[in-house]
């Protein structure tokens, strides 16, 4: 690769991926935690249905899931 391709890149600061550095110092003792988000506020929201189905599948695979419900957030131009 030519250094002219990335003039802002300082090669001495670029660390190549090292699998040994990717391992955590200590393994987690809890299930994997997954936060699922959707953005639709409609009662019959397909994105919410897909998110709930994904949560069911992740729970089945052993994860701990939470779904963030955006219905309590203010909608644009609805509050001062």
């Amino acid at each position: 690769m030519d250094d002219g391709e990335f003039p802002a890149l300082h090669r001495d600061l670029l660390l190549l991926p090292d699998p040994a550095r990717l391992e955590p110092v200590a393994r987690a003792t809890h299930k994997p935690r997954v936060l699922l988000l959707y953005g639709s506020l409609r009662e019959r929201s397909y994105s919410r249905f897909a998110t709930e189905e994904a949560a069911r599948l992740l729970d089945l695979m052993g994860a701990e899931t939470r779904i963030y419900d955006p219905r309590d957030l203010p909608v644009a131009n609805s509050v001062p």
Side-chain angles (χ1 to χ4, degrees):
M1 173 173 34
D2 180 21
D3 284 340
E5 291 181 42
F6 299 102
L9 176 67
H10 296 282
R11 291 208 177 267
D12 54 330
L13 300 177
L14 178 65
L15 298 175
L16 296 176
D18 179 10
R21 293 183 63 213
L22 296 175
E23 288 293 320
V25 176
R27 291 279 180 194
T29 57
H30 57 78
K31 299 177 180 182
R33 296 175 179 159
V34 181
L35 175 63
L36 297 132
L37 308 171
Y38 64 93
S40 178
L41 300 177
R42 288 178 282 150
E43 187 62 34
R44 294 201 39 89
S45 164
Y46 290 112
S47 63
R48 180 174 55 86
F49 292 154
T51 301
E52 289 173 353
E53 184 63 22
R56 281 191 285 272
L57 291 169
L58 288 166
D59 287 338
L60 182 67
M61 290 187 262
E64 178 184 331
T65 61
R66 285 193 183 173
I67 298 175
Y68 182 79
D69 185 355
R71 285 183 273 192
D72 293 333
L73 291 176
V75 179
N77 300 324
S78 68
V79 293

